[in-house]
Amino acid sequence: MLGDIMNLKEIILDYQTKTGYSLAEIARRVGVSRSTATRWVKGDIQSLSYDTMEQLSKLVGYNVEPHLKGMDISMHLPILGYVKGGYDLFNEDNYLGEEEVSLQEKKLGDFYLQVTGDSMIGDGILDGSLVLVQKTTHFTNGMIGVVAIGDEVTVKKLKRKGNLLILEASNPDVETRYFTPEEIQTLPITILGKVVLCKKYF
C-alpha cells in the first residue's frame, strides 16, 4: 500500500493494522490529543501543522507529505527581531512573533528578520521588509548576508578582497565598510546567515 496515495485516515488505519497500536497511542506518539486523532480517522480535519506532519512521517517511517497534497499544511517560522538595512542597530533579542510560510519557504530558511532602514533598496529590500534567513557562518562573494558587528546586526552584500571583509550597501548614499582580519576577530564580526527571500507588505 506504500506505493499508493493515501489520505490521512488511510495512513492512520494502515499504521494501526501494521502495528496494532491504539488510536490513543498513535496520538501520544505524534504529540496530538486523542480527539484530534479521532477526527483524522473520521475525515473531519482538513489541515495539519508542518510539525505534526513531520512527527507523523517519523512515526510511520516514510514521508507522508506527498499523500497529503490536498490538505492545508499550516507552517510558521519565527520572526526573531530587527536587522538594520544600515548600521548601528543594537542587537537585541526581540521576538516579533511568527510568519505563516509555504513549504518552499520552510525548506529554504530558518527564521525571518524585519528590516529597518534603506541601505539595501537597490536589491529590493525596503524598510519594513521581512527577510528569510538561512543559517550559515560562511559566505560566497556577492551573497546578501546577515552580519553581527559587535552588538549591532546588519544586512549587507558580503565580499572579500585580499584579506579584507567588505560589507557593501546597495544604496549609494550608505557607506561601504572594510574590515581587517584583526577587526574581524576583535569586534568581533560574525556571519549569522544568508538572505534567501524578501517579503514586503503594503
Side-chain angles (χ1 to χ4, degrees), residues 128-155:
S129 295
L130 288 177
V131 289
L132 178 60
V133 181
Q134 181 187 88
K135 290 180 185 176
T136 181
T137 56
H138 302 91
F139 73 93
T140 55
N141 255 1
M143 178 185 102
I144 297 175
V146 177
V147 185
I149 309 170
D151 287 329
E152 65 175 283
V153 177
T154 188
V155 56

Side-chain angles (χ1 to χ4, degrees), residues 2-69:
L2 233 149
D4 301 327
I5 295 296
M6 296 182 283
N7 60 32
L8 184 56
K9 173 183 177 179
E10 290 168 337
I11 290 170
I12 300 301
L13 294 179
D14 181 60
Y15 187 68
Q16 276 191 298
T17 301
K18 289 175 179 174
T19 63
Y21 286 160
S22 67
L23 204 53
E25 179 61 16
I26 291 172
R28 186 187 71 78
R29 288 172 179 255
V30 176
V32 299
S33 67
R34 189 187 187 288
S35 62
T36 294
T38 300
R39 291 173 66 204
W40 287 350
V41 172
K42 287 182 177 179
D44 293 340
I45 291 183
Q46 302 302 318
S47 65
L48 206 63
S49 77
Y50 183 80
D51 290 339
T52 299
M53 184 179 70
E54 284 201 323
Q55 287 300 116
L56 182 60
S57 295
K58 287 177 186 176
L59 179 67
V60 299
Y62 58 90
N63 183 13
V64 302
E65 180 192 330
H67 297 274
L68 305 180
K69 287 215 178 284

Side-chain angles (χ1 to χ4, degrees), residues 103-116:
L103 182 58
Q104 182 186 15
E105 289 170 80
K106 184 83 174 181
K107 290 177 177 177
L108 272 179
D110 299 292
F111 59 89
Y112 274 95
L113 291 169
Q114 186 165 5
V115 175
T116 63

